[in-house]
Amino acid sequence: MLKDMLTAAEARRIALAAQGFGAPRPSGPVTKRQLLTLIERLGVIQIDSVNVVSRTHYLPAFSRLGAYRRELLEEVAWASKRPLFEYWAHEASLLPLTSQPLFRWRMQDARDGVGLWKGVARFRRERAEFVEKVLSEIATRGPMSASELEMGHKGQGGWWGWSEAKRAVEGLFWTGDLTTATRRGTFERVYGLPETVLPRAIVDAPTPSREDAQRELLRIAGRAMGVATAKDLRDYFRMPVEGARARLAELVEDGSLLPVRVNGWREPAYLDPAARWPRRIDAQALLSPFDNLIWFRERTERMFGVRYRIEIYTPADKRTHGYYVLPFLEGDALTARVDLKADRKARTLVVQASHAEPWATDATPLRLAAELKLMAGWLGLETLRVEKKGDLAGSLSDVVG
């Protein structure tokens, strides 16, 4: 009989196992099947363009599988026949194709102007005829990037200076009228019609009701997290608060989730009935700031006792730990954090700052150094350099040499 009260340590180990940290990394080269199995387990991979170390969507697989070929992810994400698609799930995300019908309610909301960025929603309202012309152009000519659409004003470049064509295709992407055909160059999205880009079986798949789709997304989130609060579950796919309580009650009723309490957690939790209960986790991994395990900062603090914030947008003189900081998972704890930069010109992975958590041990610098060296090699960098900043820098530097 399953317990209805978990210790905080049990919950943490269950969560880590559910996230793919409960088994050793593959001993040989990582296969496409192993990569896909991991992505299916996680349900979603966040995409982000920041490339200080590596773009974030490459990192979750490295954290769990080790030094896999990054081309494998590109093949499953953006090759002509691939099992993944892009959409707004957590944030901009890669997901298994089978999840596409589960987001059609969100696409319909976007058509109704709900959930869109205000600027995109306003543009769709005010320039509806132009948006339709852009859609027609891609339907006629085939997949195109925004820069290839010689339509409308060009804009000023940068995030807030999108061209009119870019605003149009992004709005159409949100509504599901366009999807990503591929990526090219420096990560440029190429847009195409779903009926010409996605497999016919996915395009023709029945559209579930909003309630059925949201139940399934919460079920996927529950499996991916192992044990989670209602807020954790909603955050995984950025689900609306409205209706969530009813959907969770239905999942409890049909046995897809089990209500439990976790010692030290203020809110009730839900347990995946198929979750593994490992007695020990012996993980060793550097985590992207946008890794599924830690992207919801409230859950990270509750599970690991670590207050983690990304400081990219914090002025340099006000940063506590650095610009692009990766927490280090050691065993079942976050024991350190390192501010990393890939100096590609010098072929060096630079540890710009390194800090230990209070419970770090003498083994932490050794294990962290091993992981940093593995990452450097995976990134095609030849050397590792530790700067003298942070309370872990001295011991880490001694180990790295």
Side-chain angles (χ1 to χ4, degrees):
M1 182 176 177
L2 287 172
K3 297 163 57 177
D4 57 7
M5 172 64 84
L6 281 65
T7 67
E10 286 173 331
R12 186 167 58 250
R13 292 195 296 269
I14 289 169
L16 285 165
Q19 280 282 297
F21 290 106
R25 289 168 171 167
S27 56
V30 175
T31 66
K32 188 181 293 187
R33 182 65 256 166
Q34 288 170 319
L35 177 61
L36 282 173
T37 297
L38 172 64
I39 295 172
E40 288 164 1
R41 172 199 287 271
L42 296 176
V44 57
I45 298 288
Q46 185 172 334
I47 299 172
D48 192 81
S49 61
V50 176
N51 199 22
V52 177
V53 178
S54 167
R55 289 193 171 96
T56 191
H57 40 282
Y58 294 98
L59 286 167
F62 169 75
S63 299
R64 293 157 176 81
L65 301 176
Y68 74 104
R69 288 192 308 110
R70 282 176 291 172
E71 292 81 7
L72 279 183
L73 181 64
E74 294 161 12
E75 289 170 17
V76 299
W78 298 299
S80 57
K81 293 182 179 180
R82 78 279 191 166
L84 305 183
F85 79 107
E86 284 187 41
Y87 191 60
W88 289 98
H90 182 75
E91 293 287 334
S93 303
L94 285 166
L95 307 105
L97 270 171
T98 51
S99 294
Q100 195 271 353
L102 302 178
F103 287 93
R104 292 177 186 167
W105 61 272
R106 183 167 287 170
M107 296 171 187
Q108 183 58 55
D109 280 358
R111 292 188 188 100
D112 297 335
V114 177
L116 288 166
W117 290 332
K118 291 181 181 178
V120 174
R122 184 172 60 252
F123 187 83
R124 281 180 56 79
R125 288 194 309 271
E126 296 175 355
R127 301 295 307 280
E129 186 176 342
F130 176 79
V131 171
E132 284 302 314
K133 286 182 179 178
V134 167
L135 182 60
S136 177
E137 186 78 359
I138 292 176
T140 301
R141 295 176 57 187
M144 302 174 71
S145 66
S147 63
E148 291 172 316
L149 284 160
E150 296 181 357
M151 303 171 67
H153 295 300
K154 295 301 180 186
Q156 303 302 312
W159 185 257
W160 301 112
W162 278 0
S163 68
E164 290 183 332
K166 177 65 173 175
R167 294 183 195 183
V169 291
E170 280 299 311
L172 289 163
F173 176 82
W174 220 314
T175 61
D177 294 297
L178 292 178
T179 190
T180 304
T182 190
R183 295 267 189 169
R184 72 162 71 110
T186 57
F187 202 54
E188 183 180 33
R189 183 185 277 156
V190 178
Y191 303 83
L193 300 181
E195 53 265 36
T196 62
V197 170
L198 302 180
R200 177 53 53 187
I202 297 298
V203 174
D204 292 343
T207 298
S209 69
R210 176 182 297 257
E211 294 77 14
D212 285 348
Q214 292 183 355
R215 262 193 304 274
E216 183 59 23
L217 288 171
L218 289 167
R219 192 180 286 117
I220 293 169
R223 287 197 298 265
M225 285 189 281
V227 59
T229 67
K231 198 171 180 181
D232 296 339
L233 291 165
R234 291 200 313 269
D235 177 78
Y236 206 75
F237 290 110
R238 297 293 165 87
M239 305 288 285
V241 174
E242 182 181 357
R245 181 178 294 180
R247 302 293 81 77
L248 287 171
E250 291 155 4
L251 290 171
V252 169
E253 185 175 358
D254 72 15
S256 296
L257 293 174
L258 303 176
V260 294
R261 303 287 304 191
V262 179
N263 189 32
W265 292 19
R266 284 188 256 179
E267 300 295 324
Y270 298 88
L271 175 71
D272 171 22
R276 290 180 51 216
W277 290 55
R279 292 186 176 183
R280 185 170 180 265
I281 295 283
D282 191 29
Q284 181 173 298
L286 288 160
L287 303 173
S288 158
F290 308 107
D291 191 286
N292 306 46
L293 181 67
I294 60 169
W295 63 25
F296 188 28
R297 312 307 187 202
E298 179 184 310
R299 176 175 169 85
T300 301
E301 188 164 355
R302 186 188 331 123
M303 282 211 310
F304 295 103
V306 170
R307 187 180 186 278
Y308 174 66
R309 299 291 185 273
I310 191 165
E311 299 180 279
I312 287 175
Y313 305 109
T314 303
D317 61 338
K318 296 188 183 327
R319 290 179 194 141
T320 303
H321 296 102
Y323 179 79
Y324 199 77
V325 175
L326 283 71
F328 178 56
L329 175 65
E330 181 186 357
D332 66 355
L334 298 180
T335 61
R337 51 185 104 188
V338 285
D339 179 23
L340 297 184
K341 178 181 178 180
D343 185 339
R344 295 173 180 89
K345 186 175 181 180
R347 303 185 67 80
T348 299
L349 180 62
V350 183
V351 183
Q352 301 185 114
S354 46
H355 294 85
E357 302 301 339
W359 43 85
T361 69
D362 291 344
T364 298
L366 291 165
R367 298 189 70 176
L368 176 56
E371 200 65 17
L372 288 165
K373 289 175 182 176
L374 181 69
M375 174 176 276
W378 175 63
L379 294 172
L381 306 174
E382 296 173 353
T383 57
L384 174 64
R385 187 174 80 241
V386 179
E387 302 287 2
K388 296 178 180 179
K389 185 175 181 180
D391 58 13
L392 190 60
S395 55
L396 182 61
S397 182
D398 288 343
V399 172
V400 169

